[in-house]
Amino acid sequence: MVGSIDTLHRSLNSNGSFYNCNGLEEKLDELRHLLCKSDGDPLRIVSVGAGAWGSVFTALLQDSYGQFRDKVQIRIWRRPGRAVDRATAEHLFEVINSREDVLRRLIRRCAYLKYVEARLGDRTLFADEILKDGFCLNMIDTPLCPLKVVTNLQEAVWDADIVVNGLPSTETRDVFQEISNYWKERITVPIIISLSKGIEAALQPLPHIITPTQMINRANHTTDSRVGFSVSSQVTLLSALFLSFMRMFLAAGVPIENILYLGGPNIASEIYNKEYANARICGAEQWRKPLAKFLRQPHFIVWDNSDLVTHEVMGGLKNVYAIGAGMVAALTKESATSKSVYFAHCTSEMIFITHLLAEEPEKLAGPLLADTYVTLLKGRNAWYGQMLAKGELSRDMGDSISGKGMIQGVSAVGAFYELLSQSSLSVLHPDGNKPVAPVELCPLLKTLYKILITREKTAEAILQALRDETLNDPRERIEIAQTHAFYKPSLLGQP
């Protein structure tokens, strides 16, 4: 009888719902074995960044594997001190009281009273505080399971076996540069799974894209290249040499073989509510295949692919055009015809750009269009475009929006425009057969740059660009891309 109760308890996941745990412990044991984890030493997984996708990803792991406390430790880091405003606290209180399971959980954990006080204005809640109870500030309407939250970055990452990058691309470099300082004395190399979709452009020595995984790979100990440590008399010379080698190895940054990208056509809240979804984890075979198996769930299918950087770049590209789609939808009162015209032109520009970036772009067509489609339907970048066009937001409010998080499409517009404006990448224009920078064949990208970056035009300019009588048939742009040798590996930093 005791065994039956224990089995029932283990089949409950951390937010109180039943979950089929058949095979979960075996998958966990397989990954622990690959990482050479001994009995009594838990697999340490930490998510850095607590946006919607980072929080959901952590909660999915907690729901699945949190029951095996002696074998795995799952935590999430976010910065402390972010206050929850009164309006959000009031809405959060409504969400809590609309969900009996959540209400009972908070009462059981003696955590309900603080939400009552916040609703009345007698208390200020903080983002890290509510995250412990399962509420992501960027996704209040979708309660998650309770999470173990750490606000000290060094404490979170110094001994982590797997680090999940849930940061915006605009923050990835700085945070991982700081993390590298905490890894100076490590003798094991962590695995990093990046969820970030965004890019930066670099123009030297040749124009090229920098992705979040590359930022992580290049984060190193530039401030102090010395490897200083003491070795007690009990440690053998061989061990000392090994420790020295590993520390020097990590001083050069986490090797790219240990950095992976996970992305796909999905909405974070829907995945947590168990809508069927799929994703790809991209990177070196050594880790992508076992991690795909470890992450796969009945409602969340994870495939694996070797093409790391290209998938990562495509994840950033669709955000660019999602903002414009939101503008068109708002300005035309959701006109299906206008949205389809925009879709034809924006997809032709994306296809053109993929031919510059990929040797076999046709392999990316399905994943890119699927990711673009879901982002246009319900993504934050499309929402941002709508709010700008309606006048409910302005560019002066910045790229980080309360309740939504970082709008990564804005910086991606600037990066792609800057990159594709370089004359060294010139292609032949169909009219006049003259060499031009690639951006000259991307009128929507040019318009979005003038709206979002230089701010010399308003959102209405996106409609003017679509209605320009001199605009080429989008089919011509695709034909140009398919009939010319455009592929430039240097754009992805490849020889």
Side-chain angles (χ1 to χ4, degrees):
M1 185 65 181
V2 173
S4 299
I5 294 173
D6 184 64
T7 300
L8 177 63
H9 175 72
R10 288 170 67 85
S11 68
L12 278 168
N13 63 20
S14 54
N15 69 349
S17 59
F18 283 94
Y19 186 85
N20 180 9
C21 63
N22 290 338
L24 283 176
E25 190 165 13
E26 289 78 4
K27 291 197 293 183
L28 176 57
D29 287 340
E30 286 179 19
L31 188 59
R32 283 175 51 83
H33 177 72
L34 285 173
L35 288 165
C36 302
K37 302 297 291 186
S38 59
D39 291 344
D41 183 16
L43 176 67
R44 294 175 175 86
I45 302 174
V46 61
S47 180
V48 176
W53 187 206
S55 298
V56 163
F57 190 83
T58 307
L60 290 174
L61 292 175
Q62 178 64 34
D63 278 343
S64 296
Y65 296 105
Q67 58 191 304
F68 307 111
R69 296 181 182 179
D70 56 334
K71 294 185 176 183
V72 64
Q73 178 190 80
I74 301 164
R75 303 188 295 174
I76 186 168
W77 171 83
R78 73 154 294 138
R79 294 181 178 89
R82 174 72 181 274
V84 178
D85 61 58
R86 177 75 181 275
T88 302
E90 292 176 354
H91 181 58
L92 178 55
F93 187 72
E94 294 175 0
V95 172
I96 291 170
N97 287 297
S98 69
R99 291 277 302 267
E100 183 179 345
D101 58 331
V102 176
L103 179 60
R104 288 183 179 277
R105 187 184 77 201
L106 291 173
I107 292 173
R108 189 169 60 248
R109 292 164 57 94
C110 301
Y112 181 65
L113 182 58
K114 65 185 177 186
Y115 293 99
V116 176
E117 294 173 339
R119 166 65 180 81
L120 297 173
D122 296 335
R123 175 175 180 157
T124 299
L125 296 171
F126 292 91
D128 57 289
E129 177 185 14
I130 67 173
L131 187 60
K132 293 176 183 178
D133 293 325
F135 303 109
C136 170
L137 189 58
N138 294 344
M139 200 175 58
I140 291 296
D141 291 318
T142 305
L144 308 174
C145 63
L147 297 174
K148 173 63 176 176
V149 180
V150 183
T151 56
N152 182 292
L153 184 59
Q154 182 175 7
E155 177 188 347
V157 303
W158 75 274
D159 62 348
D161 300 297
I162 298 175
V163 176
V164 179
N165 175 32
L167 296 163
S169 59
T170 48
E171 298 180 18
T172 294
R173 175 185 284 105
D174 289 344
V175 172
F176 274 87
Q177 186 67 58
E178 181 179 349
I179 287 174
S180 71
N181 293 326
Y182 305 140
W183 284 347
K184 289 181 178 180
E185 298 301 316
R186 284 192 70 129
I187 59 173
T188 59
V189 183
I191 296 170
I192 297 173
I193 302 172
S194 181
L195 310 177
S196 183
K197 296 179 178 180
I199 71 159
E200 290 182 359
L203 305 181
Q204 299 296 332
L206 294 172
H208 64 282
I209 285 170
I210 302 174
T211 67
T213 61
Q214 291 171 332
M215 296 175 197
I216 295 167
N217 172 241
R218 296 170 188 175
N220 53 48
H221 310 313
T222 55
T223 57
D224 185 2
S225 61
R226 297 170 295 172
V227 181
F229 61 97
S230 60
V231 182
S232 67
S233 58
Q234 286 79 19
V235 179
T236 65
L237 177 61
L238 182 61
S239 297
L241 289 173
F242 174 74
L243 290 172
S244 178
F245 170 76
M246 289 305 296
R247 286 168 181 164
M248 290 178 66
F249 184 58
L250 279 173
V254 177
I256 197 65
E257 292 78 14
N258 278 51
I259 306 174
L260 304 101
Y261 165 73
L262 185 139
N266 45 60
I267 300 297
S269 60
E270 294 183 351
I271 291 178
Y272 193 72
N273 288 330
K274 292 185 169 45
E275 295 286 342
Y276 180 83
N278 57 64
R280 285 178 178 81
I281 188 164
C282 306
E285 183 173 357
Q286 175 188 5
W287 295 118
R288 74 172 191 265
K289 289 187 177 296
L291 284 171
K293 183 177 180 180
F294 178 73
L295 298 172
R296 179 177 288 222
Q297 299 184 17
H299 67 284
F300 184 56
I301 305 304
V302 181
W303 299 310
D304 69 278
N305 191 282
S306 61
D307 194 345
L308 169 65
V309 175
T310 310
H311 276 85
E312 197 176 11
V313 172
M314 295 303 105
L317 180 60
K318 53 88 180 177
N319 286 334
V320 168
Y321 292 97
I323 296 177
M327 293 177 180
V328 171
L331 293 168
T332 63
K333 295 181 170 53
E334 300 290 341
S335 163
T337 300
S338 295
K339 288 192 289 187
S340 68
V341 170
Y342 178 84
F343 191 74
H345 282 283
C346 82
T347 51
S348 73
E349 288 191 18
M350 287 192 289
I351 291 170
F352 174 75
I353 293 170
T354 58
H355 277 73
L356 289 168
L357 299 173
E359 189 171 12
E360 298 178 295
E362 61 278 355
K363 292 183 178 180
L364 299 169
L368 176 58
L369 288 176
D371 208 354
T372 302
Y373 181 65
V374 74
T375 304
L376 267 56
L377 283 177
K378 204 173 178 179
R380 76 180 72 176
N381 288 278
W383 171 88
Y384 180 74
Q386 287 184 317
M387 295 300 103
L388 283 180
K390 291 178 180 178
E392 296 181 25
L393 292 177
S394 73
R395 285 293 295 121
D396 293 335
M397 298 171 69
D399 302 344
S400 183
I401 306 300
S402 177
K404 289 292 182 178
M406 182 63 68
I407 309 299
Q408 299 197 75
V410 176
S411 62
V413 167
F416 275 108
Y417 180 90
E418 186 176 12
L419 189 74
L420 300 180
S421 296
Q422 303 305 305
S423 59
S424 59
L425 303 175
S426 63
V427 296
L428 291 179
H429 196 284
D431 298 332
N433 210 30
K434 295 180 179 180
V436 295
V439 76
E440 295 302 323
L441 295 179
C442 301
L444 295 184
L445 176 59
K446 288 180 63 178
T447 302
L448 288 168
Y449 182 82
K450 292 176 181 179
I451 296 171
L452 298 170
I453 308 302
T454 63
R455 307 186 192 183
E456 59 189 276
K457 292 192 174 183
T458 62
E460 286 75 12
I462 199 72
L463 289 184
Q464 296 170 12
L466 285 179
R467 296 165 180 171
D468 185 350
E469 294 182 2
T470 64
L471 199 63
N472 290 89
D473 185 334
R475 176 185 58 83
E476 295 180 10
R477 189 179 295 107
I478 296 173
E479 287 180 351
I480 293 170
Q482 292 175 338
T483 56
H484 292 71
F486 277 167
Y487 174 50
K488 299 183 184 299
S490 61
L491 284 174
L492 298 184
Q494 300 170 2

